[in-house]
Amino acid sequence: MIGPRIPADAGQRLASDVLAPMKRAFVGKDEVIDLLGACLVAGEHLFILGPPGTAKSALVHDLGRRLDGRTFDYLLTRFTEPNELFGPFDIRRLREGELLTNTEGMLPEASLVFLDELLNANSAILNSLLMVLNERVFRRGKETVELPLLMAVGASNRLPEDDALSALFDRFLLRVHCENVADERLRDVLEAGWKLESRAGVDGPRVDVTTIRELQRCVSAVDLAGVLDDYTDLVRRLRAAGIAVSDRRAVKLQRLVAASAVLCGRATASASDFWVLQYIWDREEQEEVLRSIVQDALRKGDGSGTDGSGTDGMSRHPRSLVDDRPDPEIIARDLESISTELDRDGDGSPRRAVLEDRLSALASRCQWVADENQRAFLENQIERLWRRFAEVGGR
């Protein structure tokens, strides 16, 4: 037993009964689906970044159909009013002098919430959304309603550009890209999409919301003691590389590490569960640096075997086993970003130590670029940047 009332295989059943069928239905979306599962068990929120038509909403709707609970989804515009999300005032009670909201069928009654074009949120709904996401509470005047929210998913085709929206974005602990599938898999997408269009209902069993709540409680019972030192070191490395990991975020991320263990049927976390930290980026140029540091922690913590177990014999989450080859285009863009900052500050950047750590992480990732010509080009760029740092240090 992971917790006092739930069998140890409950997390594994969620993976096999809900997540696995979703992966069969949605080609090339395993990464997003694994993150939906981890966030659902942890009780945290997920942000999906991607252009229209990449199945962002379809994924959340399919997950909602597999859960025995209410789902609320809404496409936000800059003119969205609170009534559209939370419900109008109850006219009957208003006549009696009471300001109460009629929440029937609206966000306050939903277990799963999907907010498309999240970053269109305006000031009229922003404070209420922040409270909903952070405290699971809806307040309107003297009215306070505790919400049954398990998880919220936000989606957009852009990242926040102002502080008000950054506060909303920050409530979504993990972030993931959702792009069009590569051309070589287009035929598979067409076949799977046709099956989805003609499917009458959900294939496989539905999961009761009560089971999800029990799993969320079980997360708090996972033993993190064995990985706490390694986790502390990992957070320090991320901070040194310029990744903003506040104390609050570092504490909350432990729930996602524990959720990974629960999904594997374990009551004890392992270093393989650190895979979730690859998805805490604020800006796209942080992604390769994050992957480099986290992949290094995964290799050191559990070995690099692909048989589903680490060197300690414990089952590993499948996402920790992915051979995640770096994208040379992204590395080249990140190297250009470092060079631009050095040019701007005359090689005397106050963030020099952070930039050096970023460069070191990118150099580590560069070794895994498959194409020899691309790897040679990137290594040349990295060597040139190291020389610039050395010249500054010698002055």
Side-chain angles (χ1 to χ4, degrees):
M1 302 285 284
I2 290 180
R5 294 185 301 277
I6 194 161
D9 65 347
Q12 292 173 304
R13 289 206 307 273
L14 176 67
S16 62
D17 294 349
V18 174
L19 305 183
M22 289 181 66
K23 291 177 183 179
R24 291 192 294 269
F26 292 91
V27 174
K29 305 300 181 184
D30 289 14
E31 182 178 41
V32 181
I33 293 167
D34 280 328
L35 289 168
L36 285 169
C39 286
L40 181 63
V41 172
E44 295 294 343
H45 311 306
L46 177 67
F47 177 84
I48 305 177
L49 176 66
T54 52
K56 299 187 297 294
S57 60
L59 283 164
V60 181
H61 292 153
D62 194 73
L63 175 62
R65 284 191 289 269
R66 297 175 189 278
L67 299 179
D68 188 18
R70 294 188 178 183
T71 300
F72 177 85
D73 68 277
Y74 205 81
L75 175 65
L76 298 183
T77 73
R78 65 186 66 184
F79 305 111
T80 298
E81 298 181 355
N83 289 356
E84 299 173 59
L85 297 181
F86 306 110
F89 285 116
D90 190 323
I91 299 299
R92 291 171 299 177
R93 304 297 290 272
L94 187 59
R95 289 170 181 163
E96 299 170 5
E98 293 185 272
L99 286 177
L100 294 178
T101 305
N102 180 6
T103 60
E104 185 176 357
M106 308 302 286
L107 185 151
E109 296 188 355
S111 304
L112 177 65
V113 170
F114 177 59
L115 298 174
D116 202 1
E117 296 304 332
L118 173 77
L119 299 180
N120 283 335
N122 57 56
S123 58
I125 62 173
L126 200 53
N127 286 338
S128 294
L129 276 180
L130 290 173
M131 188 167 294
V132 164
L133 296 170
N134 200 43
E135 301 178 29
R136 269 44 173 207
V137 166
F138 167 59
R139 288 194 184 130
R140 200 182 220 179
K142 296 181 179 180
E143 184 180 15
T144 299
V145 180
E146 292 190 9
L147 307 183
L149 181 64
L150 295 172
M151 174 181 70
V153 180
S156 179
N157 59 9
R158 62 187 175 91
L159 292 174
E161 298 174 356
D162 61 67
D163 291 342
L165 291 177
S166 293
L168 178 61
F169 181 62
D170 188 59
R171 295 301 189 275
F172 293 81
L173 202 56
L174 297 189
R175 297 85 188 258
V176 64
H177 281 276
C178 188
E179 304 288 348
N180 286 307
V181 174
D183 286 348
E184 57 266 26
R185 301 204 66 186
L186 180 57
R187 190 177 188 279
D188 296 333
V189 171
L190 296 175
E191 288 183 351
W194 184 251
K195 289 179 182 177
L196 276 174
E197 288 286 335
S198 59
R199 192 178 68 190
V202 170
D203 55 323
R206 293 164 63 91
V207 176
D208 191 89
V209 167
T210 303
T211 299
I212 303 299
R213 296 196 191 286
E214 291 289 351
L215 282 172
Q216 290 183 350
R217 282 190 280 270
C218 287
V219 165
S220 300
V222 171
D223 184 4
L224 298 176
V227 298
L228 191 55
D229 288 342
D230 290 338
Y231 178 73
T232 303
D233 291 340
L234 177 55
V235 171
R236 286 174 179 153
R237 286 191 64 192
L238 293 174
R239 286 176 171 178
I243 309 298
V245 186
S246 65
D247 290 349
R248 179 180 66 85
R249 173 163 283 197
V251 170
K252 288 174 73 67
L253 282 167
Q254 291 179 112
R255 285 194 60 82
L256 282 152
V257 172
S260 173
V262 169
L263 283 165
C264 296
R266 290 186 272 109
T268 302
S270 77
S272 70
D273 298 314
F274 294 163
W275 66 272
V276 293
L277 274 78
Q278 295 175 106
Y279 303 94
I280 63 171
W281 44 269
D282 294 315
R283 304 183 307 277
E284 291 179 274
E285 61 264 28
Q286 296 174 332
E287 290 183 70
E288 284 298 334
V289 172
L290 263 170
R291 291 186 187 278
S292 173
I293 295 172
V294 175
Q295 288 286 327
D296 184 55
L298 293 176
R299 286 192 293 270
K300 288 180 178 177
D302 270 328
S304 56
T306 57
D307 62 350
S309 64
T311 55
D312 54 8
M314 291 198 294
S315 61
R316 300 178 63 179
H317 192 284
R319 188 52 45 189
S320 72
L321 300 168
V322 173
D323 182 15
D324 194 7
R325 296 284 177 175
D327 186 331
E329 293 292 335
I330 295 178
I331 293 180
R333 185 185 64 200
D334 292 351
L335 293 174
E336 184 177 348
S337 173
I338 293 174
S339 179
T340 299
E341 186 158 344
L342 287 173
D343 289 339
R344 185 181 65 236
D345 296 331
D347 286 5
S349 171
R351 298 177 64 249
R352 175 179 168 175
V354 170
L355 294 178
E356 286 181 332
D357 282 333
R358 279 178 57 189
L359 183 57
S360 178
L362 291 172
S364 175
R365 287 289 281 167
C366 181
Q367 300 172 25
W368 299 94
V369 172
D371 186 280
E372 291 184 10
N373 292 330
Q374 291 176 330
R375 187 170 64 251
F377 171 80
L378 293 172
E379 287 174 343
N380 182 61
Q381 297 297 101
I382 290 168
E383 181 60 30
R384 182 178 63 83
L385 286 169
W386 279 130
R387 285 199 299 270
R388 288 184 61 180
F389 280 119
E391 289 169 1
V392 174
R395 292 177 186 174

